[in-house]
Amino acid sequence: MKDSVGLPPGSLIHIGTKTSSPIQIHVIDYTKDHFEEKSVQNITECFPFRDTESITWITIDGIHDAGLIDSIGKHFGVHPIVLEDIMNTSQRPKMEIFDTYIYLVFKMLYRNESNHDIQAEQVSIILGKNFVISFQEDPGDIFDPIRQRIRTGKGRIRTMGADYLAYSLFDAVVDNYFIILEDIGEAIELVEDQILGNSEPETVRAIQTLKSDMIFLRKSIWPLREVVNCLMRGDSKLISKATGIYLRDVYDHTFQVIDTIETYRDMISGLFDIYMSSVSNKLNEVMKILTIFTTIFIPLTFVAGVYGMNFNSDASPLNMPELRWYFGYPMILTIMLLITLVMIWYFKRKKWI
Amino acid sequence: MKDSVGLPPGSLIHIGTKTSSPIQIHVIDYTKDHFEEKSVQNITECFPFRDTESITWITIDGIHDAGLIDSIGKHFGVHPIVLEDIMNTSQRPKMEIFDTYIYLVFKMLYRNESNHDIQAEQVSIILGKNFVISFQEDPGDIFDPIRQRIRTGKGRIRTMGADYLAYSLFDAVVDNYFIILEDIGEAIELVEDQILGNSEPETVRAIQTLKSDMIFLRKSIWPLREVVNCLMRGDSKLISKATGIYLRDVYDHTFQVIDTIETYRDMISGLFDIYMSSVSNKLNEVMKILTIFTTIFIPLTFVAGVYGMNFNSDASPLNMPELRWYFGYPMILTIMLLITLVMIWYFKRKKWI
Amino acid sequence: MKDSVGLPPGSLIHIGTKTSSPIQIHVIDYTKDHFEEKSVQNITECFPFRDTESITWITIDGIHDAGLIDSIGKHFGVHPIVLEDIMNTSQRPKMEIFDTYIYLVFKMLYRNESNHDIQAEQVSIILGKNFVISFQEDPGDIFDPIRQRIRTGKGRIRTMGADYLAYSLFDAVVDNYFIILEDIGEAIELVEDQILGNSEPETVRAIQTLKSDMIFLRKSIWPLREVVNCLMRGDSKLISKATGIYLRDVYDHTFQVIDTIETYRDMISGLFDIYMSSVSNKLNEVMKILTIFTTIFIPLTFVAGVYGMNFNSDASPLNMPELRWYFGYPMILTIMLLITLVMIWYFKRKKWI
Amino acid sequence: MKDSVGLPPGSLIHIGTKTSSPIQIHVIDYTKDHFEEKSVQNITECFPFRDTESITWITIDGIHDAGLIDSIGKHFGVHPIVLEDIMNTSQRPKMEIFDTYIYLVFKMLYRNESNHDIQAEQVSIILGKNFVISFQEDPGDIFDPIRQRIRTGKGRIRTMGADYLAYSLFDAVVDNYFIILEDIGEAIELVEDQILGNSEPETVRAIQTLKSDMIFLRKSIWPLREVVNCLMRGDSKLISKATGIYLRDVYDHTFQVIDTIETYRDMISGLFDIYMSSVSNKLNEVMKILTIFTTIFIPLTFVAGVYGMNFNSDASPLNMPELRWYFGYPMILTIMLLITLVMIWYFKRKKWI
Amino acid sequence: MKDSVGLPPGSLIHIGTKTSSPIQIHVIDYTKDHFEEKSVQNITECFPFRDTESITWITIDGIHDAGLIDSIGKHFGVHPIVLEDIMNTSQRPKMEIFDTYIYLVFKMLYRNESNHDIQAEQVSIILGKNFVISFQEDPGDIFDPIRQRIRTGKGRIRTMGADYLAYSLFDAVVDNYFIILEDIGEAIELVEDQILGNSEPETVRAIQTLKSDMIFLRKSIWPLREVVNCLMRGDSKLISKATGIYLRDVYDHTFQVIDTIETYRDMISGLFDIYMSSVSNKLNEVMKILTIFTTIFIPLTFVAGVYGMNFNSDASPLNMPELRWYFGYPMILTIMLLITLVMIWYFKRKKWI
């Protein structure tokens, strides 16, 4: 955010991971009977679609070109402050209803295959009458099944409006959260097994990573509830009643995702408890071994020490007569053995060994 | 959920434990004076009952046959998104009011006799005018007393509408929660006794299992409150005022269940505290034994060591004259005894022994 | 609750501690100028009072006789589901407004003199026009002062309606909570003193008992707030405006009770912290004693050990010449003394002794 | 509260610290142009002021005289249940709006100079048209600056109504909370320094005292928010719009006080964490010293022990030839020194010393 | 706050860090086409701007001159209680709507470069028709970019009203919070690295400082949400609808800031957990080293002690014949080596070394 401090509101400054890859623009235009799809070089090629009756879906992969965003904004009548939000990848999920369009922004989540980090990509959607414009940070997304459905005309998508298309995008993103959560669920189980097996100090780090993952997920997903709720309430005439029923479904899914996040949070904070109790148990075990050894050998060493004293047997017959007994040495060894046995019996009774 | 990602909404895909057992369909049809009950092979045999004035209860045991669900949906006018929900066993308890029917979904809970795991089976109910359709994952349920009451005409059930039947099913499920909770209450007491008795490391695992049981129960039951509240508010004309009074009762029961869950959560987190304090106390006890032994024997061993020094008595009369005294050895033994007694007195005063 | 699972709603089954003591029925009937009181054998003797203008208070001590409850229900027009609730002692405090009567249920709490357990007795009240019926589990209650006030005509009670009588019963129960809370407050202070004095492992158990007491109290009393609030809002014409002012007072008391419960909860969870820190401090103290002893004697024993070595002074004059010095032994004793003093000075500086 | 259990509501029983000091009654009567002040012996002397247009402020220092309270109640038309509340010092702060007056009760807090305990005195205010009656437990209060302002006519107070006077009293009490909080803030810093310096077991007690202070403050002040909010909403015509602006100010102050209390609570629970970590660190330090000493001296003592063995050099030349070497003793001493140096190097690398 | 206790409300007393630096007054006056800027010595020079149609922004750097504040208040019709708030730097962020102006107060935060303490400066804004008066404690602020935008006419600021100017100031302050938060984010990472590296006792202090920083930030920023929400709801006609859209943006930013604060709070409390587990692990490691050393050497020392006993071989051939064996000494050394190897194998199996 640092970069934008001090700039006038509505300044189109890209905030996010810098990239210089070329921006890709993709247009899909369809009605029940008609389908057209193309990649365009120049955004102006998309503009004629605005005024047709057919549904148009424009995908912009790359949000770092202020000029492009600005010209889209001007042509489709989008408020500068919305354009600023589109270019700023640190948005909180939210929805804003304007007279002629709805602005939706949320996070598409990926789990990095190699290091299991969770990565977020911001998706902005402008839903207008007959058109949907979706903005992403990078090429590549999870919307291919939707494109396929439009192409083949499978399901209801070709027969319904732009609001249903926007819903489908949203639904795909929420469905994808379940996959992320299942991955995390497996990671939690893995860490749990680690703790009960061995519990290295690194385990704390693993727990901590899971914790921040959950904090991150929560921050990304929690506000969605309000967003969908707001869409469902039908404050905008851009959302038809038929689509409303589907939104109710995505609302339930959002709730389920949030439920799972809360459950995982509980489980992860439980992990820390198990870890700490496992550390305590180990300390206890170490202490027991030390205590057993020390308490067995210390009296024995003392006995040996006593008979190592140099009392002069010439000076007095009272001075350590045992040293001069015939069975002195075996007797002392037997005494030592008895002490050891008593100790072992004691620890057995205490259930230490 | 993974399986359904990318599919168009309303796709009838079974999500849950896979099973290939045949689906059982059971129909009960009754009025105040009339009663009919049969198992049918083909769902179409049930369709005539839709338009009669008598109350019809259709039970479908098994939700993995998309064709069956689809044909029920078409005949009874159920929205595809509801059918999708019926086939997906990962639903959150919820209620959805449509114009001609109400869709209810919740969890029936069992406690596995052998390993005490809690198992959930999803129950979906379609409540229409004069008919109730209930969907379960497997044959076998807790509704037999209700069937018996319908058969014998005991209680009000034969004289009231389909809404009362739906209420009865719901009530039976909520009542069943109390049994689960009583089982868990006993398990909590068992673990508490274990901790105060012996507190093995496995106890942590037992506590953790109880904790996740509560998380699971909470997730399954908490949303019910909203569901019943919604039913009670009488937003739908399918719920009569007479049944509303009974719903108030089930609402109280739901609250009681949730109260108990919260109480158990408090108790279980208390268990962990007791466990940790029991571990700490044991460490303390181990430390005390070690300290007592070490502090008693270390000075004794030192004394023995001193008189084991080889100072040459020929070189100087100052060199360890004690070794040449007549009562040297008994004196030293007495000194050692005194040291031991002082130590024991000290630890007694400290209340360590 | 187990017993009632599977029964039709409204089934009159007694749920609670089984008792076979005879049910006692007591009637008080009064107006401003008139007072009548009697114990009756048969409930039918009370029925004539229903239609008189005088205020009638019927007390039923014992709720295990389904026939009795049923005949009262029939005569006074009480809904079967309310009768079921009256006989079920596991109710959550609640209030239900019907057209001709209000149903109130709450817990009367006692503290067992011998073992200090908190015991609850369920009180149900049916408040109708001109009559109050109160149901208790056992004979003996805290309402005698109210009876006395009615008998003597002290206070406003004889001049006001049945709603004021119901309020008085409720108020007496809430006032009684303060006594329970004062007892618990004293128990908390006792445990606090114990911890700071000695802190045996049993203390954890005592803390845990207090904790579950608070959980139990909270569960019994928390819902009352909603109950009184509901009464105060005057949704029923059975509650006069004059009584409403008094209800505001009992509402404040309920709040005060809940406040105190929350305060005690905070204090009790603080107790556990003190306990754990006291355990830690003890461990520290044990460790210090062990360390002081060991670190003082280990070097001394080492020195003694050195001069116990058998180096042959004949083989070399370098072999332990100290043993042959004139002041060898006193010198070594002095060195040992110095080591001890340095150690003691070190521990003093560390503030360990 | 115990004393009042079983009494009819509205019974005038003094509940609080018993006192027998005489009750002081003080009257201030003023308009913009007129000022009169006197101490009266008999409450009846105040009654004529009720019906004048001038503002009258009656202060009653002492609430243990039921007769006095009763006669005020009768004359000014105050409901008996309010009179009961005035005499009961265990009130929760609250406000009650009646037709002709408003009843306000809150706590005036003092910090005892000697032992730093926080003490509360209950202040009740009856605000009527043109009069304010304030009740306190003891003589002496924080309202002198207000009296001075009335006497000198400084500020707005002489030109505004009785509601402004009531506001001024309330404002003075809330302002006084800031002083208490500043004292506590200093106490928290003191304890924090103690922990980081020395952390005696008594520190836990100090933390615990601060904790209960905050619980007490919270209980006393939290409900005020609701009280002021209620006053501000202007539900009563006794509060003029002009005074409403000032109430908004006191509302902010109340919020600030509550904010500070919450902040302090967080800080105090943080103190306990620092304390526990300081105890843990000390244990670690003790353990390190023990370990360093033991691990350095144990091998040395072992070496000395070896050369204290009495193997017979006559029996075999293999039996401890070192004892007969020329440089045997210096060599062994050197070996011991080397062992010590290696140990010290090891501990240095571990950053223990 | 102590200074103001006992003063009449609306008393103009400066509460905050005392300063005697001269007060600086700066005026900017502009319309779309006109721009004027000057520093004035006397506040009266600003008064003519009140009645012009142009937008006037008066900046007062220094709030310790009651006379100045009073004369501004009188001229612009500001209520005395607002003037009191402006001079009191311990305000909670808030907004108050009056008929002819809106009063806004919030905190501008700086991070001290040297010691990283967070410092707050209170900013008060009076937004009237065509004018904005901003009050700060000291010269120097973060509003220079706004001044620059007005001077150069960049962005919308010159074409919009005084409400947009007030919004711009507010927005600049909220944007600045992000910088503070990024600094803190870095500090958290630093402390995390410290813990996992070395974790000195000072780390606790660092964690504690971060914790109080978050408490302070939370206190300063949390109430802003309500403030912006209140502004957005458009309760005042001083806020135009066009500016409302921008306020929605600043509302989102405020939410983002609060989200980040909550996330940081979670992370910081996680830090303490890692710290404590790192302390526990160190204790475990120390204990292991002690145990390994002790358990290896104690039996060896015992063996050496045994052969140091002075049993008289003349008295009996049973008395320690080993001492007279030819291979006695090497045998004993070998036995000692075996004991050591067994111990090392044991600890290897336990994964301690």
Side-chain angles (χ1 to χ4, degrees), chain A residues 36-231:
Chain A
E36 190 183 342
E37 180 172 18
K38 64 175 170 182
S39 285
V40 299
Q41 289 303 325
N42 198 315
I43 185 66
T44 51
E45 297 179 46
C46 308
F47 290 171
F49 291 108
R50 187 188 60 179
D51 303 314
T52 61
E53 279 301 296
S54 58
I55 312 295
T56 311
W57 174 17
I58 304 170
T59 316
I60 317 283
D61 291 339
I63 54 172
H64 47 279
D65 181 347
L68 173 69
I69 303 290
D70 191 45
S71 78
I72 295 173
K74 288 226 169 73
H75 189 75
F76 289 92
V78 179
H79 196 280
I81 211 132
V82 169
L83 301 178
E84 189 190 350
D85 282 354
I86 288 171
M87 292 188 71
N88 180 343
T89 62
S90 62
Q91 292 301 312
R92 212 168 170 269
K94 67 174 175 178
M95 189 203 54
E96 293 190 346
I97 297 177
F98 292 85
D99 287 343
T100 56
Y101 59 94
I102 292 175
Y103 171 56
L104 260 171
V105 59
F106 42 79
K107 303 286 178 189
M108 185 153 66
L109 299 179
Y110 301 101
R111 199 140 200 254
N112 190 309
E113 286 306 314
S114 53
N115 63 1
H116 295 281
D117 270 6
I118 295 172
Q119 287 173 335
E121 186 181 339
Q122 179 164 307
V123 179
S124 293
I125 289 178
I126 301 285
L127 163 64
K129 194 170 175 316
N130 295 333
F131 68 88
V132 167
I133 313 175
S134 64
F135 299 83
Q136 296 159 224
E137 295 179 51
D138 299 296
D141 56 35
I142 55 175
F143 299 142
D144 278 331
I146 296 171
R147 284 189 196 95
Q148 204 53 37
R149 268 191 273 149
I150 299 177
R151 279 182 205 119
T152 58
K154 206 176 133 198
R156 269 161 220 84
I157 199 158
R158 286 272 284 274
T159 61
M160 297 190 76
D163 55 344
Y164 189 87
L165 175 58
Y167 148 74
S168 298
L169 299 179
F170 195 78
D171 187 50
V173 166
V174 171
D175 273 4
N176 192 50
Y177 293 157
F178 286 104
I179 296 173
I180 303 286
L181 284 175
E182 279 179 28
D183 281 6
I184 291 177
E186 282 161 24
I188 291 174
E189 272 170 41
L190 205 78
V191 171
E192 198 170 359
D193 288 351
Q194 261 176 42
I195 292 172
L196 292 162
N198 208 0
S199 83
E200 302 296 315
E202 300 92 73
T203 316
V204 191
R205 185 130 237 195
I207 295 172
Q208 226 49 36
T209 307
L210 282 172
K211 227 182 209 166
S212 12
D213 281 359
M214 296 324 291
I215 292 173
F216 178 75
L217 276 181
R218 212 182 174 220
K219 207 174 137 185
S220 306
I221 298 175
W222 193 266
L224 277 185
R225 212 181 35 163
E226 199 40 48
V227 168
V228 197
N229 193 19
C230 202
L231 281 171

Side-chain angles (χ1 to χ4, degrees), chain C residues 75-98:
Chain C
H75 188 76
F76 288 94
V78 179
H79 196 281
I81 210 133
V82 168
L83 300 178
E84 188 190 350
D85 282 352
I86 288 171
M87 292 188 71
N88 178 343
T89 62
S90 62
Q91 293 301 313
R92 213 171 169 267
K94 65 175 176 177
M95 187 203 55
E96 294 190 345
I97 297 177
F98 292 83

Side-chain angles (χ1 to χ4, degrees), chain D residues 145 149 156 164 167 175 178-179 182-183 192 196 245-246 248-249 252 255-256 259 263 266 270 273-274 277 280-281 283-284 287-288 290-291 294-295 298-299 302 305-312 315-320 322 343 346 350 352, chain E residues 1-2 4-9 79-81 85 90 92 94 96-98 201 204-205 208 211 215 219 265 272 275-276 279 282-283 285-287 289-290 293-294 297 300-301 304 307-310 322-330 332 336:
Chain D
R149 269 191 270 149
R156 267 161 221 84
Y164 188 87
Y167 148 75
D175 274 3
F178 286 104
I179 295 173
E182 279 178 29
D183 281 6
E192 198 171 359
L196 293 162
I245 290 174
Y246 291 96
R248 203 152 69 167
D249 197 59
D252 290 335
F255 247 110
Q256 244 171 293
D259 261 20
T263 305
D266 274 4
D273 281 353
I274 316 182
S277 77
S280 286
N281 276 315
L283 184 60
N284 248 332
M287 286 304 307
K288 276 183 193 167
L290 178 63
T291 305
T294 310
T295 48
I298 273 197
F302 165 66
V306 165
Y307 292 102
M309 294 195 293
N310 298 318
F311 278 92
N312 196 334
S316 153
L318 295 177
N319 278 354
M320 310 187 80
E322 308 91 318
M343 288 293 178
Y346 176 78
K350 286 258 172 195
W352 288 9
Chain E
M1 288 299 291
K2 258 176 175 166
S4 70
V5 171
L7 288 172
H79 196 280
I81 211 131
D85 282 353
S90 62
R92 211 168 170 269
K94 66 174 176 179
E96 294 190 345
I97 297 177
F98 292 84
V204 190
R205 185 129 237 195
Q208 226 49 36
K211 227 181 207 166
I215 291 173
K219 207 174 137 185
R265 276 170 66 98
F272 194 79
Y275 175 77
M276 285 311 276
V279 168
K282 273 189 191 152
L283 184 59
E285 197 197 356
V286 170
M287 286 306 306
I289 288 171
L290 179 62
F293 254 84
T294 310
F297 279 102
L300 302 185
T301 305
Y307 292 101
M309 294 194 295
N310 298 318
E322 307 91 318
L323 296 176
R324 296 179 302 272
W325 292 354
Y326 191 82
F327 287 105
Y329 184 54
I332 290 302
M336 285 177 174

Side-chain angles (χ1 to χ4, degrees), chain A residues 3-30:
Chain A
D3 311 331
S4 70
V5 172
L7 288 171
S11 300
L12 297 186
I13 295 293
H14 174 239
I15 294 165
T17 322
K18 296 307 169 207
T19 173
S20 59
S21 57
I23 290 172
Q24 295 178 14
I25 305 170
H26 189 91
V27 187
I28 290 178
D29 187 76
Y30 64 91

